[in-house]
Amino acid sequence: MEAELGLFLLILVSIGSTCAALLYWIRRAIGKTVALPHQTATSYIISLASFICLSLLIVCFVQDNFALEYVVTHSNSQLPVAFKVAATWGGHQGSMLFWVVTLSMWASLIAFKSPVNAQYTGDCLGIMNVLIAIFAWFTLATSNPFEYAQSFALEGRDLNPMLQDVGLIIHPPLLYLGYVGYSAVLALALAALFGRQPHHEWYAFVRGIAYFAWGTLTAGILVGSWWAYNELGWGGWWFWDPVENASLMPWLVGTALLHSIHLSARNKGAIWSTYALAFSTFSLSVLGTFVVRSGVLTSVHAFAVDPTKGLALLCVLVIIVFVTFGSLIYRGQQIPQSNIDTIFSRAYLCYMAIGLLVIATAIVFLGTFYPMVYQVLGSGSISVGPPYFNSLIYPLFVFSLVVLACSTFCSWQHSRAGKDLKVLCLIASLSVITASIVAIMVNTGLMLGVIFALAIYVVSSHAFQWVRSGAKISTAPKLFAHIGFVIAGVGAIVNASYSYEFSYRMSPNSQHQFQNVSLEYVDTLWKVGPNYTSEIAEIRLSTTEQHSFTLLPERRHYSVRVMNMTEPAIKSFWHGDYYITLGEKLSEQSYAVKVQYRAAIWWIWCGGIVALISMLSALLPKRSWSRVSDESFA
């Protein structure tokens, strides 16, 4: 019953959004309008229907409805309930349904807030209904989660063991909220171009949506990196995997979009770039979905290997790019332009920051897709790995620190050398002294010492200027975003510079020493879990500070999937983690044990959390939907 009702509601969403979109745009083309209350009611109905549809799919998973192919391939009766719920969006079909639900929710939010005037809101909802219809029909035609299994099954094949982690419960929904949140940004921007005169103030009320989408995407990436670190047993937090890069690209452009939105409020010349970045961000989100669903790239994250799904998504992407940028080029002459008076201004530095983010996006894009294009052209296969990305992103981070440092000496229109100059010079001097002491203590190179000095100065000067200005909430987003970026970036560099690993053959009562740390294999334990069995190594780790800790790395066997998974044991300190994984069984009692030290790993996530505070502080003033007078949209 739940499956049939869910399928009916999915069909209803597909037909309803299609009819709503066609009715609106046909009537608009002939000069007539659709009453806004009717559009609003339609958006609410579609949103409610899609939400109930997703809820019914969750019920099918919880109740072990193995009549459905999707449930059979992604669940098992012994799977914990929390993972059964998460399995709803753990596969291709469910994740696409989640896309549709999130799209409809954003459309309802636009209908509820009804920004500016009826005509503009109607255009926004018309665009959102087109997107909902496209993805709803795609889900129904190629990725139907309510499709019945071709053969009767008493038991499911279980969820992929790599996904049986709390990260799966949180990570995908956050990414989808971020990805699809940029659809609302695209709709608001594109609707502004569809007016009789381009609506140049649309960025005034899109700010909150852009911050929310950026924040949820940031949180999704952070949770994903934490999940990979804690679950996969590799000991790293970022591998430049194609799917990781697919989420990084919209984040980079979304960050540039936030800078451009702020700049547009002070310099009308940035409006064109704000349009372009708004369109690019959602286009890259769709591109990321294409990467995951098409199977064109090999990744541990990939859901599907069906090229027909990828081709359909690629067509959707081409249409979105053609319509959005075509409209921007067509109406571009009517967008106001203005110049920056001096390069010694925060506005110019903001343009530089946008440029650095766009360059970083281009680097990631090239490294991700060039191997695929190279292979399609019949030139063979080529791999692009971390050395390429690290060598190019590293100098961009250093340039970013320089830009952030210079911004403290400038106002939006000109330099302010006289204001706070003495204090800033004092902060700079203390930063250099502190960085020099740290560099000597940990024996770093010159470049790392320079990065420490820049980082300390940026954090200190930003905090000083924020307090000096009265600690206003309106300026808090910049403070937390920049400080979080610096902390995470420095953490990543320290992690890459000072991490190390050793591999040993160990059995009960064997001992090893490395880097003033003692490692003792005490015993081997066994455990029976809800849907797995595991071998557990009891390992005692002792540091030079005479501290001793017992760590329990596991090696799990999932009988249904016939897969082995490692569960690392981690001991965290402020300066880094000791990370132990239990590898292959080498003899009756001995195992391969890998011991890693991951320096400053938690700095990365702490920096990300600090940056997330910027989203929360940005949403507090509730200025994102501040109404702009209808006359400005005439």
Side-chain angles (χ1 to χ4, degrees):
M1 179 64 183
E2 292 85 1
E4 290 80 1
L5 181 57
L7 179 59
F8 170 77
L9 290 174
L10 181 56
I11 295 173
L12 177 64
V13 170
S14 303
I15 296 176
S17 57
T18 302
C19 292
L22 288 175
L23 177 63
Y24 180 80
W25 291 112
I26 290 174
R27 290 182 66 86
R28 195 181 190 285
I30 62 178
K32 296 182 179 181
T33 59
V34 178
L36 184 59
H38 295 167
Q39 279 189 288
T40 301
T42 302
S43 296
Y44 292 158
I45 293 172
I46 292 174
S47 178
L48 179 62
S50 62
F51 180 78
I52 295 175
C53 181
L54 179 64
S55 301
L56 290 171
L57 183 60
I58 293 175
V59 171
C60 290
F61 269 90
V62 174
Q63 293 182 347
D64 297 325
N65 187 350
F66 296 127
L68 299 182
E69 179 68 21
Y70 184 54
V71 179
V72 171
T73 54
H74 292 84
S75 186
N76 185 273
S77 60
Q78 297 179 342
L79 191 68
V81 175
F83 293 146
K84 288 181 180 179
V85 175
T88 306
W89 50 76
H92 170 69
Q93 294 91 326
S95 60
M96 293 311 302
L97 179 59
F98 199 99
W99 256 77
V100 175
V101 174
T102 312
L103 274 170
S104 63
M105 293 295 181
W106 278 111
S108 295
L109 179 63
I110 293 175
F112 177 74
K113 292 294 185 179
S114 188
V116 187
N117 56 37
Q119 180 67 64
Y120 180 66
T121 304
D123 286 350
C124 291
L125 293 178
I127 295 168
M128 290 299 293
N129 280 328
V130 170
L131 293 175
I132 294 171
I134 289 173
F135 283 95
W137 282 113
F138 173 82
T139 303
L140 187 62
T142 68
S143 313
N144 183 8
F146 298 102
E147 181 180 352
Y148 281 103
Q150 295 181 354
S151 59
F152 181 76
L154 293 174
E155 187 58 274
R157 301 171 198 164
D158 206 0
L159 182 66
N160 189 327
M162 287 192 298
L163 303 180
Q164 294 184 33
D165 184 81
V166 66
L168 176 68
I169 303 175
I170 308 171
H171 170 58
L174 288 173
L175 281 184
Y176 300 149
L177 285 173
Y179 282 160
V180 184
Y182 286 115
S183 69
V185 175
L186 177 141
L188 290 164
L190 190 58
L193 288 175
F194 282 173
R196 287 177 297 173
Q197 295 292 329
H199 304 166
H200 305 312
E201 290 83 0
W202 62 275
Y203 53 81
F205 45 80
V206 82
R207 174 178 175 270
I209 296 178
Y211 257 114
F212 182 83
W214 177 86
T216 52
L217 185 56
T218 302
I221 293 173
L222 286 175
V223 172
S225 66
W226 174 83
W227 165 74
Y229 178 72
N230 284 272
E231 178 65 20
L232 299 183
W234 297 345
W237 63 280
W238 193 266
F239 303 97
W240 296 109
D241 179 272
V243 176
E244 291 175 336
N245 295 345
S247 65
L248 180 62
M249 287 186 287
W251 183 87
L252 289 169
V253 179
T255 306
L257 173 63
L258 289 177
H259 286 79
S260 189
I261 288 173
H262 282 285
L263 185 57
S264 296
R266 296 171 173 84
N267 187 290
K268 299 300 181 183
I271 296 178
W272 200 97
S273 65
T274 306
Y275 276 112
L277 291 170
F279 298 151
S280 299
T281 307
F282 184 66
S283 298
L284 288 171
S285 298
V286 177
L287 179 64
T289 307
F290 162 75
V291 169
V292 180
R293 316 297 163 189
S294 64
V296 297
L297 295 174
T298 302
S299 167
V300 297
H301 303 79
F303 285 129
V305 292
D306 186 354
T308 58
K309 295 181 177 67
L311 182 61
L313 285 171
L314 189 60
C315 292
V316 171
L317 175 62
V318 171
I319 293 172
I320 290 173
V321 171
F322 178 80
V323 172
T324 54
F325 283 94
S327 300
L328 179 58
I329 294 171
Y330 179 73
R331 305 299 299 273
Q333 297 298 325
Q334 297 173 282
I335 298 175
Q337 302 289 332
S338 64
N339 298 321
I340 296 177
D341 297 330
T342 175
I343 63 173
F344 301 105
S345 65
R346 192 169 292 175
Y348 184 80
L349 293 175
C350 196
Y351 271 121
M352 289 186 64
I354 294 171
L356 289 173
L357 289 164
V358 172
I359 292 172
T361 306
I363 290 171
V364 176
F365 183 91
L366 181 64
T368 303
F369 290 98
Y370 178 73
M372 179 186 68
V373 175
Y374 191 83
Q375 187 173 10
V376 169
L377 294 177
S379 302
S381 60
I382 187 174
S383 62
V384 176
Y388 161 81
F389 294 103
N390 294 338
S391 61
L392 293 177
I393 296 297
Y394 181 84
L396 289 183
F397 174 72
V398 178
F399 289 147
S400 299
L401 290 179
V402 173
V403 170
L404 288 174
C406 293
S407 69
T408 59
F409 292 95
C410 303
S411 67
W412 279 103
Q413 298 300 329
H414 51 77
S415 63
R416 52 178 184 185
K419 188 176 182 180
D420 300 331
L421 181 60
K422 292 183 179 179
V423 178
L424 291 175
C425 289
L426 177 61
I427 293 174
S429 301
L430 293 175
S431 299
V432 172
I433 294 172
T434 305
S436 300
I437 295 173
V438 172
I440 293 173
M441 291 177 61
V442 298
N443 193 24
T444 67
L446 176 62
M447 193 65 222
L448 201 54
V450 172
I451 291 175
F452 284 161
L454 286 170
I456 294 171
Y457 173 77
V458 169
V459 172
S460 303
S461 59
H462 273 64
F464 163 74
Q465 290 187 334
W466 185 61
V467 174
R468 179 78 166 75
S469 64
K472 298 177 182 178
I473 294 180
S474 60
T475 57
K478 181 193 76 170
L479 171 76
F480 289 113
H482 289 172
I483 290 179
F485 168 75
V486 171
I487 294 174
V490 171
I493 292 175
V494 173
N495 178 262
S497 302
Y498 291 97
S499 297
Y500 55 83
E501 64 181 52
F502 296 96
S503 295
Y504 302 108
R505 179 188 181 117
M506 301 191 73
S507 58
N509 300 319
S510 63
Q511 296 184 3
H512 291 279
Q513 282 194 337
F514 64 96
Q515 300 289 331
N516 298 321
V517 174
S518 175
L519 201 69
E520 179 185 1
Y521 193 115
V522 179
D523 198 4
T524 303
L525 310 174
W526 286 267
K527 173 184 174 182
V528 178
N531 60 338
Y532 64 87
T533 58
S534 68
E535 302 163 277
I536 305 174
E538 183 181 352
I539 296 177
R540 183 174 294 115
L541 184 145
S542 303
T543 65
T544 53
E545 293 83 7
Q546 303 302 317
H547 296 304
S548 181
F549 308 95
T550 298
L551 301 177
L552 302 173
E554 294 185 45
R555 180 175 172 81
R556 293 181 178 179
H557 176 72
Y558 292 82
S559 57
V560 177
R561 282 271 182 169
V562 194
M563 286 182 63
N564 293 325
M565 287 290 298
T566 59
E567 292 290 326
I570 304 171
K571 181 59 183 178
S572 299
F573 297 90
W574 70 268
H575 52 77
D577 285 359
Y578 288 102
Y579 187 101
I580 302 178
T581 52
L582 185 65
E584 295 289 338
K585 190 171 185 178
L586 303 178
S587 66
E588 185 176 351
Q589 290 187 317
S590 64
Y591 293 84
V593 177
K594 178 182 283 189
V595 185
Q596 304 177 61
Y597 175 71
R598 293 298 167 185
I601 188 72
W602 281 97
W603 296 12
I604 300 169
W605 295 309
C606 288
I609 293 172
V610 172
L612 282 177
I613 298 175
S614 69
M615 177 196 71
L616 301 177
S617 58
L619 297 178
L620 285 177
K622 298 182 179 180
R623 295 180 299 173
S624 56
W625 290 94
S626 58
R627 290 181 177 272
V628 183
S629 62
D630 288 356
E631 289 77 8
S632 63
F633 287 80

